[in-house]
Amino acid sequence: MDILFSNSLNLLSQVGDKFFRYLFDKIDWNQRMIAIKGPRGSGKTTLMLQRIKFGIKPQTNVALYFSADHYWFYTHNLVETAHTFYQNGGRFLFIDEVHKYPNWSRELKNIYDSYPDLKVVFSSSSALDIYRGESDLSRRVITYELPGMSFREYLNLTQNQNFQPVSLAEIQNTHSQITSEITSLLQPLPVFKEYLKRGYLPIITESNPETIPVFLQQIINTVVESDLAFIADYNAGTAYKVKKLLGVLAESVPFKPNVSSIARKVETSRDSVYEWLTQLEKARLLNFLIAEGKGVSLLQKPDKVYLENTNLSYALKANPEIGSIRETFLLNQLKNLKQKVRLPKSGDFKVDDLVIEVGGKNKDATQVNHIDNYLIAADEIEHGFGKKVPLWVFGMMY
């Protein structure tokens, strides 16, 4: 196992403590088995390495990180590796990209049942349904989701700030105070425009900003050709059609999907379109919006389809429509906050009984002023008044 320890130590030497994703402090690290799901590039690997280096602070080989697709596993299995690690004093095992390993569910169950004082943290693609593996992990694993960065995290990362999250209720009731505190330290609008284009993933600090769209296109290819190939058993022909479907969607999001029309364009069946849409949504490449009053079920046609984040919009289309970008941003931030967002009869989004209408700086309340509880999320303004709130403030919630 020397090669695994050597690789782990090398990666640990490169991880720093200047920026931690918000989830780091929300995870109950005392749980015996933890799953961290999230899109590629969201920082799952760094999160686990930071936990080892700055949380456990091992002085010996008590903690080990490795990726489940390491060549070590060409000739060894997870159970055997965990056994050897445990016998040599190991107590904290961190496994990256577990979906790349055959029989991951069964072997993790065996590890959990065999070593009660061994703590296991593993990461996976967002598309993996951990609780539907071939072995029952539902009573054993606690799952956390790590989405891309909020605008708040982007500010903290790139502007050397320490802004704390605010709730949706605080935005609704005290947004003027919130914006005054932030604008006393920086001008948010220029930074917000950069965030919308290329600030969703922490990779922004390690790459030339101009190459981010190319990086995102590579992520899309990897998600479809690799992650979904493992999870949904895609072959090359299926992967090509799924990417074609994503390209068709990118040209017109947000929109109300005509599944028959999409199926003709992609040259596949309606059932395949439903299935692929669902898989792309699970893989965090799409976001769905369902009308209020409707139930949510698998293979249900969404009422509106969006790309999951605005960076994808700029990566897949040279000049995305600004109205689409604004709506994509707000839906993304609300969903990442685990809010139940619906499509209302009037307005763009509904959270509980609050209706939100999205627009530019001149947006008024004509479409929603007959509703008691509403907000106008207006772009291109630093400060709001009354029910009119700067759009960027909704990026401060997580």
Side-chain angles (χ1 to χ4, degrees):
M1 289 180 58
D2 289 350
I3 185 63
L4 294 183
F5 277 107
S6 176
N7 186 60
S8 180
L9 289 171
N10 178 54
L11 291 171
L12 285 168
S13 70
Q14 299 176 48
V15 71
D17 60 353
K18 290 185 178 180
F19 176 74
F20 290 83
R21 290 299 317 274
Y22 80 98
L23 191 63
F24 187 91
D25 292 325
K26 292 185 175 296
I27 293 175
D28 180 1
W29 296 105
N30 291 316
Q31 295 291 331
R32 285 183 56 198
M33 184 167 284
I34 295 168
I36 303 173
K37 295 174 61 176
R40 283 187 168 272
S42 61
K44 301 185 297 296
T45 300
T46 300
L47 190 74
M48 291 192 290
L49 292 170
Q50 287 176 323
R51 171 57 186 169
I52 296 174
K53 188 170 183 178
F54 304 110
I56 299 171
K57 302 177 182 178
Q59 301 300 315
T60 62
N61 293 336
V62 71
L64 174 65
Y65 162 91
F66 56 77
S67 178
D69 63 353
H70 192 279
Y71 69 80
W72 166 268
F73 294 104
Y74 296 169
T75 54
H76 303 81
N77 62 45
L78 272 179
V79 172
E80 170 196 346
T81 302
H83 175 72
T84 303
F85 173 63
Y86 184 84
Q87 280 193 322
N88 285 278
R91 292 298 181 267
F92 301 90
L93 196 57
F94 293 76
I95 308 169
D96 215 352
E97 298 204 88
V98 75
H99 59 282
K100 297 284 187 72
Y101 182 87
N103 303 319
W104 61 270
S105 177
R106 183 194 311 154
E107 294 199 31
L108 284 180
K109 175 183 178 295
N110 289 338
I111 291 169
Y112 182 97
D113 292 342
S114 300
Y115 307 100
D117 56 340
L118 176 66
K119 290 183 169 58
V120 178
V121 180
F122 65 91
S123 80
S124 76
S125 163
S126 297
L128 183 67
D129 190 344
I130 289 168
Y131 300 114
R132 294 185 66 184
E134 60 189 62
S135 296
D136 181 20
L137 289 176
S138 61
R139 293 180 293 105
R140 297 170 173 84
V141 64
I142 303 298
T143 303
Y144 294 89
E145 294 267 356
L146 182 66
M149 291 193 299
S150 64
F151 180 50
R152 180 190 72 86
E153 289 184 291
Y154 179 75
L155 287 176
N156 288 347
L157 177 62
T158 62
Q159 306 298 308
N160 195 29
Q161 299 293 335
N162 187 32
F163 296 122
Q164 298 302 305
V166 297
S167 67
L168 182 57
E170 288 175 310
I171 289 175
Q172 188 173 7
N173 297 316
T174 63
H175 60 85
S176 293
Q177 179 182 340
I178 294 168
T179 58
S180 294
E181 291 174 356
I182 295 171
T183 55
S184 69
L185 298 172
L186 55 81
Q187 288 184 291
L189 295 183
V191 193
F192 183 56
K193 288 180 181 179
E194 284 300 306
Y195 168 80
L196 294 175
K197 290 181 179 179
R198 42 187 167 248
Y200 190 57
L201 299 177
I203 193 69
I204 186 68
T205 61
E206 304 170 16
S207 305
N208 181 337
E210 301 304 320
T211 66
I212 295 297
V214 176
F215 176 76
L216 290 171
Q217 291 164 10
Q218 293 172 346
I219 283 181
I220 292 168
N221 286 333
T222 303
V223 168
V224 175
E225 296 174 359
S226 179
D227 294 350
L228 290 177
F230 275 94
I231 294 164
D233 198 25
Y234 283 6
N235 57 36
T238 303
Y240 171 78
K241 288 189 175 183
V242 171
K243 286 192 286 186
K244 187 175 180 180
L245 168 62
L246 195 59
V248 169
L249 298 175
E251 285 299 313
S252 50
V253 289
F255 75 110
K256 298 181 179 181
N258 182 323
V259 174
S260 296
S261 174
I262 294 173
R264 286 193 297 271
K265 290 180 180 179
V266 183
E267 299 178 3
T268 191
S269 67
R270 286 169 50 90
D271 286 347
S272 291
V273 171
Y274 280 122
E275 184 178 355
W276 295 344
L277 284 173
T278 300
Q279 289 163 353
L280 289 171
E281 191 263 346
K282 284 185 176 180
R284 298 298 182 264
L285 292 178
L286 299 176
N287 265 336
F288 292 166
L289 194 59
I290 306 296
E292 60 176 322
K294 290 176 63 175
V296 178
S297 62
L298 290 175
L299 302 185
Q300 172 185 341
K301 184 178 80 172
D303 292 283
K304 290 184 81 173
V305 175
Y306 293 79
L307 291 174
E308 197 271 342
N309 65 80
T310 59
N311 291 187
L312 288 176
S313 301
Y314 284 99
L316 293 171
K317 192 173 182 180
N319 295 295
E321 198 269 323
I322 188 60
S324 169
I325 291 294
R326 291 163 178 159
E327 290 185 34
T328 298
F329 163 75
L330 185 53
L331 180 61
N332 166 271
Q333 300 288 287
L334 290 168
K335 285 217 165 193
N336 288 351
L337 199 64
K338 301 301 180 185
Q339 296 287 341
K340 182 180 178 182
V341 190
R342 290 302 182 100
L343 178 65
K345 295 180 177 62
S346 300
D348 292 310
F349 306 116
K350 187 172 185 178
V351 180
D352 296 326
D353 66 341
L354 173 65
V355 172
I356 306 176
E357 175 77 2
V358 186
K361 61 183 178 182
N362 296 320
K363 187 71 176 181
D364 60 31
T366 301
Q367 292 176 275
V368 291
N369 59 11
H370 62 287
I371 299 170
D372 291 333
N373 193 15
Y374 73 86
L375 287 177
I376 303 296
D379 195 10
E380 301 176 315
I381 61 172
E382 280 194 352
H383 303 280
F385 178 77
K387 292 181 178 293
K388 192 167 186 175
V389 181
L391 177 63
W392 62 265
V393 176
F394 291 90
M396 306 299 292
M397 295 188 293
Y398 74 88

